[in-house]
Amino acid sequence: MTKAADNCDISVIIPLYNKCTEIERTLRSVLTQSLAPREIIVVDDGSTDGSAEIAERIGGDRITLIRQHNQGVSAARNRAMTTARGKWVALLDGDDVWMEDYLESVAQMIARWPECGAYGVGVLIDDGKRCIAVKVG
């Protein structure tokens, strides 16, 4: 992470349930952001495949890991929201990744249009065979 988290008031929330083959890539995409988030909160929603242990190993003290019995992705996100300290939250599923400048782009949008309540960017879908760019907005 190249820029200080002091410049970014965004909490990253990652619900996690049985994503042992994906969570490392997901977390590394957050940990290598050009603008570091204020915090990274992972809510393990009762994983049985070692996902939480991988998140703990990869993130160390850079993430807050909350464990709960399986209640579903919405309950996991809501649980993280109750502990998030950032003014803004960015949601990321445990099997998705961000480009390295994602949070910086969002922070720039917040600075430019502070009155908005939600922000979105383009999406790149990569199924391993082809990439599809989808522009949002």
Side-chain angles (χ1 to χ4, degrees):
M1 294 183 266
T2 58
K3 296 184 185 174
D6 296 345
N7 297 332
C8 185
D9 201 11
I10 301 172
S11 297
V12 175
I13 294 176
I14 304 172
L16 177 63
Y17 180 73
N18 288 347
K19 299 289 183 192
C20 70
T21 60
E22 296 97 354
I23 190 60
E24 180 172 351
R25 185 171 179 230
T26 298
L27 281 173
R28 290 201 188 282
S29 82
V30 177
L31 293 169
T32 59
Q33 287 293 298
S34 59
L35 179 64
R38 177 174 184 157
E39 62 188 340
I40 304 166
I41 303 168
V42 176
V43 178
D44 177 50
D45 194 37
S47 294
T48 58
D49 67 349
S51 296
E53 291 75 18
I54 294 169
E56 216 165 30
R57 178 176 50 79
I58 299 301
D61 61 355
R62 296 172 291 181
I63 68 162
T64 299
L65 178 64
I66 300 170
R67 295 174 189 256
Q68 68 181 29
H69 294 290
N70 184 258
Q71 299 174 48
V73 68
S74 296
R77 284 189 187 113
N78 289 340
R79 174 85 182 272
M81 295 272 199
T82 65
T83 63
R85 295 175 293 140
K87 180 177 179 180
W88 301 95
V89 296
L91 305 176
L92 179 64
D93 287 341
D95 58 355
D96 290 337
V97 296
W98 285 336
M99 302 296 279
E100 68 182 18
D101 63 345
Y102 175 79
L103 287 177
E104 189 170 1
S105 297
V106 172
Q108 288 171 357
M109 285 188 283
I110 292 169
R112 184 167 179 187
W113 298 289
E115 68 283 355
C116 289
Y119 301 87
V121 297
V123 177
L124 181 65
I125 302 168
D126 181 355
D127 66 2
K129 298 175 188 164
R130 60 191 172 124
C131 289
I132 303 168
V134 180
K135 184 177 179 182
V136 177

